[in-house]
């Protein structure tokens, strides 16, 4: 579903992401972890076609992001760090607009919008103006925008940031549903987060980024054998080995 | 190209939700009314004076097109210099501020579809302004007999000038994050473009632009001369080509600027 081979992003001398390779199979939910500035967002932006990689290649659902960018982008639902919404639009107008951008055929647009509203719990606020919604609802609108065209691949950058505990639980359930098999198609989700329990709750596999490189890529079960996720995270992303020893002493 | 309509439609709707569109429409209508009325009054006074002096020859030459419609269209083309940047300043800057640029650039649309959609929205607004303006010369047809061809050519000229301004405004909006900067950049670019002809004449008079080629190029680049000939009723393919080349040129620049976000 997602193939990344040697993805790198450099800004002059500054290396944001260096040689990241991984692949994600249909039906997988992968947690993308790492401290701030580790290159999570940059990697996601390269996969979605927002930023071109300096080096390396990637394909989404079999479409190369360079040679067939439109097909690759059509296969992705992307929720950026801040939900990309127009404050002056109503929720349903906005989703209808996104469904046009994402090439949902005209006759199934209404249905697609209704389904996204329903799944994200937005049916009650469908005619409200987005600018007047609370942060939690705006985040849900962002999520609805990412799934309106029922894409095989979903890339979610911190989907639960700014939500209250109940909303977080709802969104987690929703993300779990998203990857489940529907109409005989399995879907893939990559999500980045800082909340480790969230990863334990919904992901089956973890990729940890550290200083622009992939530091760890393993199924969650395997990690549990070696200790808690928090320990693994601290160990993998420690800036200096010496500093870690100091902290442990 | 199937996304162009969707993008233009959304843009127009959000323009009419914001106060900017109404402020521009109101200002435009008020200024047009003011300049039209003062044009008519001046014309009337001129006619009365010529009659008092029994200057029959000059009275014969007097007509509504040259003495009312043409000055009116000229003044309104100057008004467009600062109103169109108000319309175009948000085209791309608002997408950057909302973070919706990330949605657009990760959607299966091409950058041309995005740029043309935005331009189309601005162009539609310009067309609304020109239609609004056409009401004033239309009043003249009720009470006098101006030439319809000449009037129509002048209005078409104003529309084309407006479209070039809209393309320049789109470009200004695509190179900055701030609406204010986009407004002033567009305004300055338009002002320079409008004054190029004068600059060439000044340069020629002062001897700074001794090279005729440079002077001719500056005069050709300026909107003023091309607009002038259309107001006089001449619809020449050379002038039409100028408007097309200018608008297309700035749209190409806009496309490059939008695309450059990816490479930064």
């Amino acid at each position: 579903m997602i193939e990344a081979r040697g993805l790198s992003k450099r800004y002059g001398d500054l290396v944001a992401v260096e040689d990241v390779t991984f692949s994600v199979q249909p039906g997988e939910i992968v947690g993308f972890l790492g401290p701030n500035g580790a290159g999570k967002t940059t990697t996601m932006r390269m996969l979605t076609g927002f930023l071109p990689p300096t080096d390396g290649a990637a394909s989404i659902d079999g479409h190369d992001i360079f040679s067939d960018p439109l097909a690759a982008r059509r296969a992705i639902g992307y929720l950026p760090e801040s939900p990309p919404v127009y404050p002056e639009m109503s929720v349903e107008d906005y989703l209808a607009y996104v469904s046009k951008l994402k090439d949902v055929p005209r006759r199934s647009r209404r249905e697609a919008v209704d389904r996204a509203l329903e799944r994200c719990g937005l049916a009650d606020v469908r005619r409200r103006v987005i600018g007047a919604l609370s942060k939690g609802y705006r985040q849900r609108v962002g999520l609805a925008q990412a799934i309106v065209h029922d894409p095989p691949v979903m890339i979610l950058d911190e989907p639960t940031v700014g939500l209250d505990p109940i909303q977080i639980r709802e969104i987690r359930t929703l993300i779990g549903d998203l990857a489940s098999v529907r109409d005989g198609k399995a879907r893939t989700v990559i999500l980045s987060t800082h909340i480790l329990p969230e990863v334990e709750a919904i992901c089956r596999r973890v990729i940890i980024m550290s200083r622009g490189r992939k530091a760890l890529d393993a199924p969650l079960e395997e990690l549990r054998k070696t200790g808690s996720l928090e320990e693994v995270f601290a160990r993998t992303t420690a800036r200096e080995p010496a500093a870690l020893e100091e902290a442990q002493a | 190209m199937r996304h162009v309509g969707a993008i233009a439609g959304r843009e127009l709707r959000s323009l009419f939700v914001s106060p900017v569109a109404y402020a521009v429409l109101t200002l435009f209508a008020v200024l047009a009314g003011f300049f039209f009325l003062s044009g008519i009054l001046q014309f009337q006074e001129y006619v009365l004076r010529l009659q008092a002096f029994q200057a029959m020859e000059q009275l014969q030459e007097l007509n509504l097109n040259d003495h009312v419609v043409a000055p009116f269209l000229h003044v309104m083309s100057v008004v467009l210099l600062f109103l169109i940047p108000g319309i175009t300043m948000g085209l791309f800057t608002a997408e950057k501020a909302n973070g919706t640029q990330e949605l657009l650039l990760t959607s299966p649309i091409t950058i041309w579809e995005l740029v043309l959609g935005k331009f189309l929205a601005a162009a539609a607004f310009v067309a609304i302004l020109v239609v609004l303006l056409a009401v004033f010369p239309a009043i003249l047809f009720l009470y006098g007999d101006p030439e319809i061809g000449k009037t129509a050519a002048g209005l078409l000229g104003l529309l084309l000038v407006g479209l070039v301004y809209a393309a320049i405004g789109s470009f200004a909006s695509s190179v900055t994050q701030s609406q204010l900067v986009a407004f002033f950049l567009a305004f300055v670019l338009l002002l320079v473009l409008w004054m190029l002809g004068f600059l060439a004449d000044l340069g020629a008079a002062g001897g700074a632009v001794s090279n005729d080629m440079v002077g001719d190029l500056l005069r050709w680049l300026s909107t003023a001369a091309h607009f002038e000939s259309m107001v006089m009723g001449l619809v020449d393919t050379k002038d039409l080509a100028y408007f097309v080349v200018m608008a297309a040129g700035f749209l190409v620049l806009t496309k490059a600027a939008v695309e450059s976000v990816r490479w930064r």
Side-chain angles (χ1 to χ4, degrees):
Chain A
M1 272 288 162
I2 304 179
E3 287 282 339
R5 293 178 297 277
L7 280 183
S8 300
K9 183 73 190 173
R10 287 182 284 271
Y11 297 94
D13 287 339
L14 184 82
V15 178
V17 171
E18 181 76 18
D19 197 20
V20 169
T21 301
F22 62 88
S23 79
V24 184
Q25 302 312 315
E28 272 192 300
I29 305 182
V30 175
F32 218 48
L33 301 179
N36 286 325
K40 300 186 298 286
T41 296
T42 306
T43 307
M44 289 181 151
R45 283 180 161 177
M46 286 193 281
L47 290 175
T48 56
F50 182 64
L51 286 177
T54 320
D55 247 319
S59 67
I60 305 290
D61 198 22
H63 307 286
D64 190 276
I65 58 165
F66 278 116
S67 61
D68 198 0
L70 296 189
R73 281 184 233 155
R74 210 169 281 132
I76 293 178
Y78 174 44
L79 173 63
E81 261 177 308
S82 58
V85 294
Y86 297 92
E88 76 277 7
M89 287 180 101
S90 78
V91 174
E92 62 181 353
D93 284 352
Y94 170 69
L95 291 177
Y97 173 62
V98 175
S99 73
K100 280 184 217 164
L101 290 183
K102 305 284 179 182
D103 291 334
V104 176
R106 183 185 294 270
R107 55 196 140 63
S108 41
R109 256 179 228 154
R110 230 197 144 77
E111 197 189 317
V113 170
D114 285 344
R115 196 190 49 224
L117 286 168
E118 197 59 48
R119 302 195 77 180
C120 298
L122 291 163
D124 294 342
V125 296
R126 59 187 299 160
R127 281 184 236 289
R128 294 267 297 275
V129 170
I130 297 173
L133 294 177
S134 70
K135 199 173 176 195
Y137 268 111
R138 235 180 276 190
Q139 190 70 19
R140 290 199 218 181
V141 174
L143 202 58
Q145 161 276 135
I147 64 170
V148 71
H149 54 305
D150 196 15
V153 173
M154 279 152 279
I155 296 180
L156 313 174
D157 202 351
E158 304 198 15
T160 56
V161 72
L163 301 184
D164 67 40
I166 295 166
Q167 292 168 332
I168 289 179
R169 204 170 57 189
E170 285 170 8
I171 295 285
R172 280 182 193 166
T173 317
L174 174 62
I175 292 171
D177 285 352
L178 288 178
S180 63
V181 179
R182 265 174 293 118
D183 321 323
K185 280 187 286 182
R187 288 159 183 79
T188 298
V189 179
I190 292 191
L191 66 101
S192 78
T193 179
H194 285 300
I195 311 165
L196 299 179
E198 183 158 300
V199 177
E200 299 192 291
I202 44 183
C203 302
R204 270 156 263 169
R205 186 175 142 204
V206 175
I207 294 176
I208 297 180
M209 298 279 294
S210 176
R211 276 159 290 169
R213 288 171 178 278
K214 188 174 87 170
L216 184 138
D217 182 351
L220 199 60
E221 279 175 38
E222 228 169 84
L223 295 181
R224 287 225 181 88
K225 289 176 198 154
T226 57
S228 79
L229 187 57
E230 203 174 324
E231 284 164 19
V232 174
F233 183 81
R235 213 184 310 136
T236 338
T237 60
R239 303 227 169 258
E240 304 279 346
L244 185 70
E245 278 162 31
E246 229 168 81
Q248 280 171 340
Chain B
M1 286 292 129
R2 62 185 178 281
H3 300 109
V4 173
I7 291 166
R10 196 214 65 79
E11 188 67 41
L12 262 183
R13 248 174 289 142
S14 90
L15 210 54
F16 279 100
V17 173
S18 78
V20 178
Y22 297 101
V24 167
L25 281 171
T26 309
L27 198 58
F28 187 75
V30 168
L31 287 174
F34 172 77
F35 286 121
F36 184 73
L37 199 60
S38 80
I40 292 281
L41 292 176
Q42 272 176 13
F43 182 72
Q44 192 188 24
E45 198 181 325
Y46 192 49
V47 170
L48 287 176
R49 208 181 317 151
L50 289 182
Q51 278 173 342
F53 287 117
Q54 296 283 311
M56 295 319 281
E57 262 177 50
Q58 275 159 297
L59 265 176
Q60 289 283 314
E61 281 172 16
L62 216 56
N63 69 69
L64 283 169
N65 277 97
D66 293 347
H67 294 89
V68 177
V69 178
F72 176 59
L73 290 178
H74 272 123
V75 166
M76 292 320 286
S77 79
V78 176
V79 170
L80 288 185
L81 279 182
F82 58 87
L83 287 188
I84 289 182
I87 290 304
T88 57
M89 65 183 180
L91 285 182
F92 292 96
T93 49
E95 303 279 358
K96 291 172 206 169
N98 287 335
T100 40
Q101 179 173 254
E102 211 158 336
L103 165 69
L104 292 172
L105 295 183
T106 57
S107 289
I109 62 171
T110 64
I111 303 223
W112 267 123
E113 287 178 319
L114 174 58
V115 170
L116 289 179
K118 294 282 183 184
F119 174 70
L120 199 65
F125 196 89
V126 172
I128 294 172
L129 290 182
V130 173
V131 168
L132 201 68
L133 192 78
V135 170
F136 294 99
I139 295 171
L140 290 180
F141 284 91
L142 292 178
Y143 299 101
D145 55 345
E147 285 175 58
I148 187 143
K150 214 169 177 178
T151 312
L155 285 169
L156 177 66
L158 195 71
L159 177 67
L160 292 171
V161 166
L163 295 185
V164 169
Y165 288 2
I168 293 173
S170 308
F171 169 68
S173 180
S174 69
V175 294
T176 167
Q177 314 269 345
S178 140
Q179 297 216 359
L180 202 64
V181 174
F183 177 87
F184 281 105
L185 180 61
F187 181 58
V188 167
L189 282 174
L190 293 181
L191 204 60
V192 168
L193 194 69
W194 183 68
M195 295 196 316
L196 276 179
F198 298 115
L199 289 180
D201 293 342
L202 267 183
V209 188
S210 52
N211 193 335
D212 270 354
M213 287 262 291
V214 177
D216 285 347
L217 180 69
L218 289 181
R219 261 175 232 116
W220 184 84
L221 275 175
S222 170
T223 39
H226 304 277
F227 178 53
E228 177 73 45
S229 73
M230 292 205 64
V231 169
M232 298 207 307
L234 294 168
V235 182
D236 191 333
T237 26
K238 269 194 289 186
D239 296 321
L240 296 181
Y242 163 83
F243 291 114
V244 172
V245 166
M246 288 303 274
F250 275 96
L251 290 179
V252 168
L253 289 178
T254 309
K255 189 233 172 200
V258 173
E259 205 159 36
S260 78
V261 176
R262 288 226 165 100
W263 305 100
R264 259 181 256 152

